[in-house]
């Protein structure tokens, strides 16, 4: 099917959202809480567009054949700026918000600043629950008192230290600390696995390995918990040609 | 499925590691060389030679199975399993799952990296001076 | 109790009960709605029951649901004479039985008197009731909500029996479409059209939900329906379920309504015992049961998707509607949600006919139910009016009738209080000023004026109500109740709350008005759910109709209504003060000093602007200053 973005015919696929179609076709729509691997939730409200003359969010609108979409009308930009202003008042020091403000011409923020670090988009919770499968994070409180934490803000028994939450956070406000043998995130410290051959520390924890297994992934017993170099070497050692020619790897 | 296959002829490899260099420079990050997806192992004396190891692009790949976001998908034209970085949440499950050590972690960005056959024209193949690598 | 095996069996049973009612038998109906219980109605009804039994008096005592005139509770009506008594105490019971019931005498002390001290004898003559049209509340003063037979003796469940006899679900939907019934929960979506899409949607099972999460401050009509006539809701749901083909119904009720919950549970059990719920209802092969789901009291759970999330066991936050609820609602199945009052309307449409129903209300719905508002609407009339309570009027009744005739006008009008505005539609509604008093209240008119029907709250405001403070109150309420999901609602309300709190404290800036408008318009357009989309209404409507008050607060630090405590000072007028000392005695901070028969003085350093002196002064000697007056008169 076809949709019309800014007056141009654009191919779209049945069932996808306006945001997905527009991004794929190279159009730029600002978005913070959208992640292509997750079903859109429509939380940040930044991806405003005009659909058939009505301002709505691109991430929660499913395409229809012949849909007329405008990305940069005065109306859209006005509301987008106000939403951005609200976010900047909430999180004053965020490079991504600065960048978006410059792009959409948002001047001085007129609202009282909250000095928080999190824009409360909830992406961390959704990634942890729906993709990683650990379900270690939750939304706490409601309204302006919304916070994202492990339940009760205590170290969660479910957290596996994969750091995917920190990775997807659009404002990079989830901090973790990684030492040679430990990883600490959300107040929980876990041991990093070590290569059973050479002892190099891996970017994995035993808890994470358990979770990957629990997700139903068939982990091959060969070369588990080896660093990439040792794993490749082990593979070579078992290969017929290598064994037969009695090569010894340096 | 692609009809093109990546061949390794260990008998022709001298262990010069030009493949690693060309790989690192074809996957640069902000101008810096990336982690080489291919590794040429050198054997110990008496027979000093090399054996290149690189992703096998397994038919039933463990990395693909382990990925919770379906970020690892096979490029049907090249046959390579590629990481779709916009879907990737950097959880390193693919790294954990690969039994052959062919999913790597890029030290500069801490992101996972694997051989993508350079979108159909692998630099390791073009730069190999002895013809130990072939992609056809 | 035998289960009915066919609709005709049910109908003849109901007919039997109806004709067995002895309309001449004396009946004492004691209101036991939440309001009257709070005023002590339980003791009154217990006393009636006891004395009637002890003295073997030929009369029935019926503990009914809410009569609506909550302000004057406990209410007692003596039938058949329809003698209306208000503020009845336990000690009045024997006198009522002796004088009124036995002797036919009126007890003047218990009669209702209006502001002009005119007494009224019969319930229907009382101005509060005279202009009402009580359909949904029709049985409330007559039946015991805990007895299904009482409901049936007024024709209850007859409509359902007839629907089953006819055996044509599609015609049921056509009837509801033709009746023009629109959802009473707020949006006013035609119920019949909603039923139709759910009936046509594919997927099993289908659900119907009764939204009883009534959360607007001051609104309690759904509560009174459930407490006073729970079977009318169940019958409406039965008819709806049959038409839609639903097999499970949910009543999502907030936990703060223990009495409504109790009465619904009793009603459900009675309906089950009679075979009106369960398998093979009335031998028709129709299976349907109703479950109760209790909400935790979050305002946002009245939003349909948040409500479904809550029933499904998750946090009550709205979710994205990829498909309409009619196609994919509760657990992804076709679902129809209607509000309590909507369901309670349904039986009457069938019992009295579409022609009767469409004769009430506004517009012409013969072509489309969108073209008018039909039937009656219950409003919760509160605020600065003489008669507060629940009023049921035909759609299209003017605000003037509701406020001045039924409501008896503005409270303390003798002290000079005048009407300023009426706030409709709960926290998300808007304020309508006096120039629109003569509009007929229906869905479309209210929306046109920048307010909304909402669930039917009507808060009357007088000239001492500060509109900026009203906006601040509602914005703060919504700020607490926002779920926090989307940016415009969460952050917009936070910002608006900051600004409005600043203005009522006298620290506002003129730029704030533009800022409020910017925030408000973006919230309307960009918020995720209806809560956020309508949350700006109190601000937008007060800015539209009462902008001057905002400007006065900002520019001259004047609260014209003399309500914002940080902008006012109380002084005593030496010319009118008689030295009666009442203000000094009532002042909680002892800020007023003065001897008997001498002029009193307010110590401004101790005064906390509570306003007690103003309220108690019988000589209008307390002046409230604001703005430049403070400097002029007090020199500060």
């Amino acid at each position: 099917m076809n949709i019309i973005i800014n007056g141009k015919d654009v191919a779209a696929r049945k069932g996808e959202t306006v945001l997905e179609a527009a991004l794929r076709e190279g159009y730029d729509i600002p978005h913070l809480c959208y992640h292509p691997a997750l079903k859109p939730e429509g939380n940040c409200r930044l991806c405003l567009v005009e659909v058939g003359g009505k301002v709505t969010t691109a991430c929660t609108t499913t395409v229809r054949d012949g849909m007329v979409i405008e990305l940069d009308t005065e109306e859209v930009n006005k509301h987008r700026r106000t939403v951005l202003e609200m976010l900047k008042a909430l999180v004053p020091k965020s490079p991504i918000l600065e960048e978006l403000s410059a792009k959409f011409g948002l001047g001085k923020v007129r609202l009282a600043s909250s000095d928080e670090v999190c824009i409360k988009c909830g992406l961390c919770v959704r990634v942890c629950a729906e993709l990683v499968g650990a379900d270690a994070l939750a939304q706490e409180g409601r309204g302006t008192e919304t916070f994202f934490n492990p339940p009760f803000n205590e170290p969660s028994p479910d957290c596996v230290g994969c750091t995917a939450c920190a990775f997807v956070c659009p404002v990079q406000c989830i901090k973790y600390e990684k030492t040679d043998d430990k990883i600490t995130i959300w107040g929980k410290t876990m041991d990093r696995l070590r290569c059973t051959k050479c002892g190099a520390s891996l970017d994995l924890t035993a808890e994470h390995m358990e979770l990957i297994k629990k997700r139903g992934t068939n982990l091959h017993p060969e070369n588990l918990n080896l660093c990439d170099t040792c794993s490749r070497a082990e593979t070579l050692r078992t290969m017929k040609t290598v064994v037969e020619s009695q090569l010894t790897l340096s | 499925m692609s009809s093109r296959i990546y061949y390794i002829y260990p008998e022709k490899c001298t262990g010069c590691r030009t493949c690693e260099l060309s790989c690192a420079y074809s996957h640069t990050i902000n101008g810096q060389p990336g982690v080489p997806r291919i590794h040429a192992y050198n054997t110990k004396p008496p027979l000093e030679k090399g054996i290149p190891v690189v992703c096998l692009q397994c038919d039933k790949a463990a990395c693909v199975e382990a990925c919770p976001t379906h970020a690892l998908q096979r490029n049907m034209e090249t046959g390579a399993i590629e990481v779709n970085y916009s879907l990737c949440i950097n959880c390193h499950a693919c790294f954990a799952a690969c039994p052959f050590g062919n999913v790597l972690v890029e030290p500069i960005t801490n992101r996972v990296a694997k051989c993508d056959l350079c979108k159909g024209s692998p630099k390791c193949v073009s730069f190999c001076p002895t013809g130990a690598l072939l992609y056809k | 109790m035998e289960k009915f095996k066919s609709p005709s069996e049910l109908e003849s049973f109901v007919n039997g009960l109806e004709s067995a009612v002895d309309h001449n038998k004396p009946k004492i109906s004691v209101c036991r709605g939440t309001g009257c219980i709070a005023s002590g109605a339980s003791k009154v009804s217990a006393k009636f029951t006891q004395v009637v039994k002890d003295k073997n008096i030929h009369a029935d005592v019926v503990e009914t649901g809410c009569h609506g005139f909550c302000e004057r509770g406990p209410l007692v009506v003596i039938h058949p004479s329809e003698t209306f008594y208000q503020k009845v105490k336990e000690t009045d019971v024997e006198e009522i039985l002796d004088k009124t019931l036995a002797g036919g005498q009126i007890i003047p002390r218990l009669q209702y008197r209006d502001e002009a001290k005119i007494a009224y004898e019969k319930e229907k003559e009382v101005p509060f009731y005279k202009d009402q049209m009580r359909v949904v509340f029709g049985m409330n003063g007559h039946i015991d909500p805990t007895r299904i037979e009482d409901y049936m003796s007024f024709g209850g469940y007859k409509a359902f029996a007839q629907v089953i006899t006819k055996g044509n679900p599609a015609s049921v939907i056509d009837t509801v479409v033709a009746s023009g019934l629109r959802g009473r929960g707020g949006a006013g979506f035609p119920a019949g059209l909603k039923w139709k899409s759910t009936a046509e949607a594919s997927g099993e099972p289908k659900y119907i939900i009764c939204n009883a999460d009534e959360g607007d401050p001051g609104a309690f009509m759904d509560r009174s329906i459930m407490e006073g006539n729970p079977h009318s809701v169940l019958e409406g749901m039965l008819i709806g379920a049959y038409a839609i083909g639903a097999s499970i119904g949910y009543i999502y009720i907030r936990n703060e309504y223990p009495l409504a919950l109790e009465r619904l549970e009793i009603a459900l059990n009675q309906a089950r015992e009679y075979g009106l719920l369960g398998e093979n209802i009335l031998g028709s092969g129709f299976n349907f049961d109703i479950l109760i789901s209790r909400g935790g009291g979050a305002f946002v759970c009245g939003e349909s998707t948040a409500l479904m999330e809550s029933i499904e066991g998750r946090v009550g936050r709205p979710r994205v509607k990829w498909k309409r609820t009619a196609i994919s609602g509760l657990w992804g199945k076709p679902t129809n949600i209607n509000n309590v009052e909507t369901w309670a309307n349904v039986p009457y449409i069938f019992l009295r006919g579409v022609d009767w129903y469409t004769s009430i209300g506004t517009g012409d719905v013969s072509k489309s139910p969108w073209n008018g508002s039909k039937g009656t609407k219950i409003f919760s009339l509160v605020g600065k009016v003489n008669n507060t309570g629940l009023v049921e009027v035909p759609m299209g009744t003017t605000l003037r009738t509701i406020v001045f005739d039924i409501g008896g006008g503005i409270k303390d009008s003798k002290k000079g209080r005048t009407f300023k505005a009426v706030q409709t539609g709960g926290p998300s509604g808007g304020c309508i000023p006096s120039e629109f008093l003569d509009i007929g209240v229906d869905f479309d008119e209210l929306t046109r004026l920048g307010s909304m029907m909402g669930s039917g709250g009507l808060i009357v405001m007088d000239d001492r109500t500060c509109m900026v403070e009203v906006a601040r109150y509602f914005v703060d309420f919504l700020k607490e109740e926002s779920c926090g999901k989307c940016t415009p609602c969460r952050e917009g309300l936070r910002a608006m709350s900051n600004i409005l709190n600043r203005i009522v404290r006298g620290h506002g800036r003129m730029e704030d008005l533009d800022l409020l408008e910017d925030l408000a318009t973006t919230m309307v357009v960009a918020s995720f759910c209806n809560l956020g989309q309508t949350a700006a209404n109190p601000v937008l409507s007060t800015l539209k109709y009462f902008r001057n008050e905002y400007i006065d607060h900002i520019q001259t630090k004047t609260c014209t209504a003399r309500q914002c405590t940080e902008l006012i000072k109380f002084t005593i007028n030496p010319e009118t003060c008689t030295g009666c000392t009442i203000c000094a005695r009532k002042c909680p901070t002892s800020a007023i000093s003065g001897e008997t028969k001498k002029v009193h003085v307010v110590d401004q350093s101790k005064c906390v602007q509570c306003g007690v002196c103003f309220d108690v002064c019988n000589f209008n000697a307390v002046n409230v200053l604001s703005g430049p007056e403070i400097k002029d008169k007090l020199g500060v």
Side-chain angles (χ1 to χ4, degrees), chain C residues 476-510:
Chain C
D476 277 357
F477 172 86
L478 289 164
K479 189 184 109 189
E480 295 296 315
E481 292 295 344
S482 162
C483 77
K485 178 186 171 73
C486 76
T487 313
C489 175
R490 184 188 63 236
E491 300 309 323
L493 283 167
R494 187 209 300 264
M496 277 198 197
S497 163
N498 274 339
I499 296 167
L500 290 168
N501 275 295
R502 180 157 83 209
I503 296 177
V504 296
R505 295 210 172 95
H507 305 305
R509 305 183 276 260
M510 281 310 279

Side-chain angles (χ1 to χ4, degrees), chain A residues 35-37 127 131-132 162-164 167-168 176 178 202-204 208-209 212 215-220 222-224 226-233 235-236 241-242 245 247-250, chain B residues 10 36-39 41-45 47 49 51-55 60 62 65-69 86-93 95-105 110-111:
Chain A
H35 193 281
V127 161
L131 295 178
V132 177
C162 72
T163 70
F167 178 78
V168 297
Y176 61 90
K178 215 187 247 179
L202 306 179
D203 257 348
L204 287 169
H208 194 185
M209 287 302 275
I212 295 170
R215 279 206 301 256
T217 312
N218 181 19
L219 286 180
H220 299 261
E222 318 85 48
N223 307 347
L224 270 186
L226 289 185
C227 72
D228 49 84
T229 316
C230 295
S231 177
R232 285 167 158 180
T235 311
L236 277 186
T241 47
V242 182
S245 54
L247 297 175
T248 335
L249 296 172
S250 61
Chain B
R37 278 72 166 154
I38 187 165
H39 185 59
Y41 283 89
N42 281 333
T43 60
K44 280 182 181 161
L47 186 61
K49 65 175 301 301
I51 307 171
V53 185
V54 71
C55 174
K60 192 172 172 291
E65 204 193 321
C67 180
T69 70
S86 66
L87 285 171
C88 172
I89 56 168
N90 217 30
C91 68
H92 295 189
F95 168 82
C98 178
F100 309 116
N102 283 325
V103 176
L104 310 146
V105 177
N110 193 36
R111 302 207 65 167

Side-chain angles (χ1 to χ4, degrees), chain A residues 41 43 45 79 139 142-143, chain C residues 317 481-482 485 487 522 526:
Chain A
E41 278 276 308
N43 291 351
R45 318 305 284 175
H79 295 306
Q139 174 174 345
R142 69 173 187 203
Chain C
R317 269 196 295 268
E481 292 295 344
S482 162
K485 178 186 171 73
T487 313
T522 296

Side-chain angles (χ1 to χ4, degrees), chain C residues 35 67 111 127 172 242 283 391 396 411 444 482 517 526 534 629-630:
Chain C
H67 292 208
Q111 275 185 299
V172 175
Y242 179 72
V391 301
K411 208 173 223 163
D444 306 316
S482 162
E517 260 164 6
T534 56
E629 300 169 352
I630 296 179

